[in-house]
Amino acid sequence: MNVLIFAAGLGTRLKPLTDTMPKALVPINGKPLIKWLIDKLEYSVKSCNNDGKLHIVVNIHHFGQQIIDFIDECRMEHDIKFSDERDMLLETGGGLKKALPLFDNSDSVLVHNVDILSNVDLSDFYERHINNNVIVTMLVSNRKTKRYLLFDDDCRLVGWTNIETGEVKSPYADLDVDTCKRYAFSGIQVVSPEILSYMENWNGKFSIIDFYLSICDKVCIKGELKNDLKILDVGKLDSISQAEEWLG
């Protein structure tokens, strides 16, 4: 299974911890976030019917060498590469475009934020994407937020809105926001490698959501809602204690 771990963020909401380390190495019960995620991936991939191998790319920027050193010290038995953004942080869209060519095969890629904990069976989610034959599958939730992705009745992405300001982004000029399903993005998705063919005119740093909104009328980008989804964004200091209780 191909996996891209987004670990390049500055982690500003986790200061002062991230004054001396990347958020990927912030410890939860003594184990760094990135190790929790890789362990979960390892358990998940061994339980499904594939080659049992993980092909991982980790994008790095803030204290990137610390992440490289940690992975080397762990001597993990996986194919792990690094997409180096230390010269310039590329955001989610630019980070995806830079990282995808580093995979040695043409399989779909599970993309996972390093600071997200969930109860999702990642291998099942990955396999459903492949079986559904779509270009992107985004795991979404009913979490309350100010900014929502908009989907039609088939859970196909059609737009985005900020309910506080009323702003709407969509390639559909006549989109009726009131008829759309509104979901929050979880930070977990699967993308098919042909997505690169639509990124030719997108360079440098850019948002993956802005990119998706520019092509969702041309390709099928689906949202998957998990009714029993439990998810935690370990992005703030007060979420660390929640994460420690969750992971025990």
Side-chain angles (χ1 to χ4, degrees), residues 57-72:
V57 172
V58 182
N59 78 336
I60 58 172
H61 174 78
H62 184 59
F63 290 116
Q65 189 61 46
Q66 289 188 27
I67 298 176
I68 294 173
D69 292 343
F70 174 77
I71 295 296
D72 287 345

Side-chain angles (χ1 to χ4, degrees), residues 143-159:
R143 173 176 58 87
K144 290 184 178 181
T145 181
K146 297 177 183 178
R147 295 171 291 274
Y148 288 98
L149 295 173
L150 302 174
F151 297 87
D152 65 14
D153 289 340
D154 293 324
C155 224
R156 178 169 175 165
L157 181 67
V158 292

